[in-house]
Amino acid sequence: MNKTIIVSNRLPLQIERNDNEIKVKPSVGGLATGMKSVHKDSNGIWIGWSGLTDEELNPEIEKKVNSAISEEQCVAVGLTQEDVDLYYYGFSNRTLWPLFHYFIEYTEFDQKSWESYERVNQKFAKVVLEQAKDGDKIWIHDYQLLLLPALVKAEKPNLSIGFFNHIPFPSYEIFRTFPKRKEILEGILGADLIGFHTYDYERHFLSSVKRILNLDVSFNKITHDHRIIKVDSFPMGIDYEKFKSAALKHNTQKPDEKTEIQKRLDQHLEYSSDVKMILSIDRLDYTKGIPNRIRAFEYFLKKYPEFQEKIRLIMLAVPSRSQVPQYQKLKRETDELVGRINGEFSTVSWTPIWYFFRTMPFENLIDLYTSSDVALITPVRDGMNLVAKEYVATRTNEDGVLVLSEMAGASKEMNEALLINPFNFEEIADTIKQALEMPKAEQKSRMQTLQKRVSRYSVEKWASEFMNSLKQVHNISNFIEAEKISDNHIQDFQKIIQSQDSKLMFLDYDGTLVNFTKKPEDAKPDAALFELLDRLDAQPNLDIVIISGRDNETLGTWFADKNYTLISDHGVAIRNENKEWQILERLNTDWMENVLPVLETFVDRTPGTLVEKKKYSLAWHYRNADIELAQKRVVEINTVLTSFISNTDLTLLKGNKVIEIKSSKVNKGRACSHVLNQKEYDHIFALGDDWTDEFMFEELPKKSHTIKVGLKKTKAKYYLNKTDAVRIFLTSLLE
Ligand code: GDG
């Protein structure tokens, strides 16, 4: 039975070690809950670091740890202390974390930690490959493992791999500054499905893929390395029922069942009827906007002094990554700010900020959520922010107001919250006031809508939607009906090519025999290509036809002393063995003087594009342009030219990063028919990568061996992954 393997930096469990005794406790975090059905139901396993370094383990303890965690269906990846320092605290948290959260000034790049990041990703890959069997699904999580998808895919292409990024993906302008940008993108692209919390992150990622790797992106699908990769957004939810039922239970507590914290909170709330509490909970991280929040609260107290002695900010800051200097600095800054404000505003019976720097047990978290009138969540960047959703889930009386930063991924789904810009103190202060004064009816209507949405998109739903999508994506490769050329096909074709039967082979040039280059004139045939074509041409009764969109002068010059048949300009002219060009279609080219100025305006407005004037057609090339701008221009050019050419016999052809205008009387299909009318052949082969080649595939007799180059929809019978595979294929026919 196929299984699912979940991979994350840490395993979802806590290991307690007492001398030589080991106790394993499963974690109860959101991710662990969401993945429960994926993990346990499908006999799946979870791969990750146990939390104990190699140095902390001896063979005996390691055996115990491994056996204890295997009972939880987990497998450990061993990390040394150096790995943890360089890969985790180093590259993950001092490089990727700040960069992806737009803190460029905090982003340190250091070769040693990059090498450690590579090494640890390889360690993970090794364990994954030991555990995975063909047909299994792998779900890799988060920014610590960005290289893992490609490492696994390279070894086992038949595994279906999903990757989910829990943090934002930054805009291209930020991401492009990063020295290892290519490696990171290529690492992620080993996955078949790539998930983000929001559409914005998805679009940023696609934009980087287009601009940095120059790959074809169509809507949310990327063609890369002969695969189609899907990118989508899956907003992560919470274990709604867990928070809701905990809150319901909490609300019926008897006085003696209450926690110490709850008793203190009650004392404050009972002080007077207009006393209110504002809650803030986060890991102490510079992305969470904690100093800004405190300063905005200070500003609020100054701007609206009537709230002094009535409002209290309860701030839970959970210790995090305290080895990293920026976190130490943030801790000092937070302590100082809280101290200053409490010093400035406190009275005998009131301190404005209650500050906790620690982790709290779940029941205390529920105390805080249920007792607070307002949740003030103001990250400067946050992938999603689950605290916002948890607050909503615990408000079982349908009251309370969520003030949420528009920079948190959660804001995309939580429109009924009061959304603020975390850098605008004026707005935050005014919004705090609005939240504190919001009528109950409005609180209720906002909260009801929020609850409906947050309860529907729970963490279980998130996980199951991702897994369903992963199942479908793996079938995407089936959308190409053509058959991939296999060793068996090659053996059959070899026999034909080397037989005495009469054979004809049509070969498109650009994108088929040679790769595309920045300038069309750079894609001249090289010595190896000549040698290959000559060897093919020397096969018994095999006629070679180079059929291209290039003009006859270019082809005539390149292949001046060769005997192959040449067809130029998509089928306008043909050169046979006598080396004379013969016009197949008489064409009027008067239209060019009208269309050329139109195309030139597009060249002026789109840097990196150029117009190629051919004898019978005009081509607008956009291979070197900014791809997003070029795509907009393609739509424009289509609109403009379609009206221009209506009622003419002109047609618009979309090629590979080129748009060509030419007479519809000419196409490669008609030119192929012309060749076939001259002589009968036992076998016909045709290879091409472009739209223009589709005419050829369509027109040729059914029994022909038509071969598409690249993963695109086609009328051809077979396909080869990419241009580089063509020469290998042709060479193999001669062996
Ligand atoms: C990353 C992304 C994304 C907090 N304090 C205590 C405690 N918590 C729990 C909360 C919540 C979780 O920790 C925090 O989750 P967030 O989503 O708010 O933030 P990150 O830790 O930064 O998570 C984030 C997330 O991944 C998921 O993809 O949303 O954007 O940065 O569940 O309840 N739990 C307990 N005691 C505490 O003191 N028990």
Side-chain angles (χ1 to χ4, degrees), residues 97 101 164 166-167 197 236 243 281 283 288 316 318 358-362 365 369 382-387 390:
W97 177 271
H101 286 88
F164 189 83
H166 287 261
I167 64 175
H197 283 304
M236 187 174 169
F243 282 88
I281 298 187
R283 274 185 310 102
K288 304 286 182 183
L316 171 61
V318 179
R358 58 170 135 119
T359 325
M360 285 200 180
F362 179 71
L365 212 60
Y369 282 144
D382 211 340
M384 170 54 74
N385 195 298
L386 299 179
V387 170
E390 291 168 4

